[in-house]
Amino acid sequence: MGSVLKAVIYALALSLVLPIAAQAATDDDAIAITLTAAHDGIAPGGELGLGVVQNPAPGWHTYWLNPGETGAPAEVTWQLPAGVTVEPIQWPTPRRLEFSGMVTYGYEAPSTLITRLHAANTLAAGTHLTIKAHIDTLVCRDVCEPVSRDLSIIVPVMQSAPKGDRLAAAMAGLPKPLSFNVAATQRDGRAVFDFTALEGKPSLHLSDDQVRGAYFFNESADVMAPAAKQSITALPTGFRVTVAAPRPTVAGPAMAGILTLGDGQSFRIKASAVPAPPRSAGLSWAALALAVGLAFLGGLVLNLMPCVFPILSMKLLALTRTGRETSAARTEALLYGVGVMLSFLSLAAVLEVARLLGHSLGWGFQMQSPTVTAALSLILLLVALNMSGLFEIGQGLQSVAGNTAGRMARLSPSANAFLTGVLAVVVAAPCTAPFMATAVGVALAQGGGVSLAIFTALGLGFAAPFVIMAHLLTRIPAVTKYLPKPGHWMSRLRHALAVPMYTAAAWMVWVFAQQVSPTGVWLLALALVSIGATLIFSRSSPWIKGAGMGLGVLAGVFGALQAPAAGTASATLATIPYESFSASRLTTLQAQGRPVLVDLTAAWCITCKVNERSALSDGKVITALKASGTVYMVGDWTRQDSGITAYLHTFGRSGVPLYVYYAPGRAPVILPQVLNAGALVKTLAPNAVKGDA
């Protein structure tokens, strides 16, 4: 009897303990699940929002529709009365979670899975509907626990739907729906998905801040592995997702997911797959020869573009010595060519590395960096001061390095020639000359050996005129005897040629001012004054010189690090009212049948500024724009803008300026890089103004 009584007592104890333990292992400890209705009733023929609220305990999390590398999403099974239907679940925006090296998608905070009930017109007011839901979900921390709950609510059928919405906040937080086409390609071990807006449908024009930190949560883990490194870039009417993909990846007939942006916005993306644009397997020999020839011609013409004008002072000064220092002049000309070639090949290497890493850089990308424009401001100012005779590089070297500097000073003309070639390329890179734009576009698209060949030809074309001229002047006696004899005129010419260098330095400071805050501009001014004064008054003590140079360097560095201004006030120097460039706005204007003139410019693009001051500010052009109702859109590429970069790529271009005219019902027309007011008037309003060209 004693053993039987003891067994009964144990059984009673277990019957009391086990239900409590089961409850603690599910909802009470790990998660609470509730079923919430948006309103207190539903009208016949109306709808009612329902929310399944999952509230995990601190340290626990639930999963999204695609849980990632592990986990399971919530499943809801409905039991509905006759005359009631339910829509599929709408999922809130998840987060990317990492646990023990595994990447999952889910929710650490309360999340609401939202659906809508639809009531038939036949339902009678005054009746009550019992809505039942069976929820199976998984909640995890360092361990995972499956949870099942049966929930129900009673919804009265009312003559009219009540006011108020308990799910309004949850509904507002859902990602906004957008539809796209998607094309998938495989490039250099990466899967690339291009999402482009459907014709006549809303599109996305993403800013740099939105792209920074963006992420695409794909509903299918088979297409984009959750652990794969991912990058988002902007397209003119959409976006590109690039993910590491060691195996070939293609999109299915449809793709769906959630795109989250750096500013906190999110979009529910539905995309229909379209064939990817065919990728060229490579250029034929004839096409490659044509691209190389265009690059060489582009390099030649680049010498005549406004960007290179400041460097002409240094070239002219070097040519004045050819009559008296023939051997040195030829050597310096060759070193100038070496500096040019190495600079072009360095640019090619940087662009190629960026391409392989999945980034998109354009021609002149270095000028988009405040650090580069600050350094160029200082270099151009120092060159101008040197040409003015306010300090000598050789003296500076001797004062700093003692006896060793004597040898360096003797090398300074050669070093100056080499550095002049480097500086010429850096300053000229913002310009794209005729013939050059197509060649550079091919180079950036093809990469590899094609890019190397094109940039080599571009460098040869750019260096050839000066190198050949220096050798002709020193090797042909008939030419040499007509060169002026050395004299005081050379010093006066040197001082006169310093003026363009001062102008170039001021221009570069203005460019810098478009890229940073006013504080950064003042810091750069302090750097220029400090370093310039230290070199001019080089007889001061070493301690003062060191302090002056150190102060200048620190001020310049901190100036370049200042946050950029909210907007660029000088996007264009033209006097025409304009709109800021937006791919979505451009699409809208085209749909409305409005003519549009797109002007992609940058503060550091001298050709752009010349066009703006001349052709685009011409009174006849302004009149033609108004008469034709043309919208003038300006895209400012002074700082990196992925949307503008993508738009440039659609026309096979890699740099500014780019002028595109959209006439209603016609294909876009690419205008010349150096604009002519008369030709532009004919393009804008061919029947309004005659004989003005």
Side-chain angles (χ1 to χ4, degrees), residues 84-236:
V84 177
T85 57
V86 65
E87 294 180 357
I89 289 289
Q90 298 184 64
W91 294 78
T93 304
R95 290 186 56 198
R96 187 176 186 272
L97 309 174
E98 293 189 31
F99 295 94
S100 301
M102 304 290 285
V103 176
T104 61
Y105 300 149
Y107 312 96
E108 294 175 306
S111 59
T112 303
L113 314 182
I114 294 179
T115 186
R116 290 185 182 276
L117 293 180
H118 294 271
N121 292 323
T122 55
L123 293 179
T127 59
H128 291 76
L129 306 175
T130 301
I131 309 298
K132 296 182 179 181
H134 177 78
I135 296 99
D136 290 310
T137 191
L138 185 68
V139 59
C140 296
R141 188 172 56 185
D142 50 349
V143 296
C144 292
E145 296 182 4
V147 176
S148 296
R149 288 290 288 167
D150 289 304
L151 305 174
S152 65
I153 58 172
I154 297 177
V155 178
V157 180
M158 309 173 70
Q159 192 63 42
S160 60
K163 297 181 180 180
D165 190 344
R166 286 186 287 267
L167 296 176
M171 288 292 295
L174 289 175
K176 303 175 180 63
L178 287 176
S179 296
F180 288 85
N181 287 323
V182 59
T185 55
Q186 196 79 15
R187 303 179 187 175
D188 304 316
R190 291 173 173 79
V192 179
F193 301 88
D194 286 343
F195 292 81
T196 54
L198 302 175
E199 186 175 355
K201 297 294 184 180
S203 61
L204 279 177
H205 178 58
L206 305 180
S207 67
D208 289 342
D209 290 337
Q210 290 175 315
V211 169
R212 194 176 298 112
Y215 192 86
F216 185 74
F217 294 90
N218 188 45
E219 290 185 2
S220 174
D222 295 333
V223 177
M224 296 182 189
K229 186 177 180 180
Q230 186 182 116
S231 66
I232 308 290
T233 53
L235 297 177

Side-chain angles (χ1 to χ4, degrees), residues 624-679:
L625 282 167
K626 292 180 180 178
S628 61
T630 300
V631 178
Y632 179 45
M633 298 189 77
V634 177
D636 184 12
W637 209 42
T638 302
R639 296 188 293 267
Q640 182 61 246
D641 186 305
S642 56
I644 293 179
T645 303
Y647 182 81
L648 285 166
H649 289 174
T650 61
F651 291 96
R653 296 295 180 87
S654 59
V656 292
L658 175 65
Y659 306 100
V660 185
Y661 179 65
Y662 293 83
R666 299 180 184 178
V669 177
I670 301 177
L671 304 181
Q673 291 165 303
V674 179
L675 295 177
N676 174 271

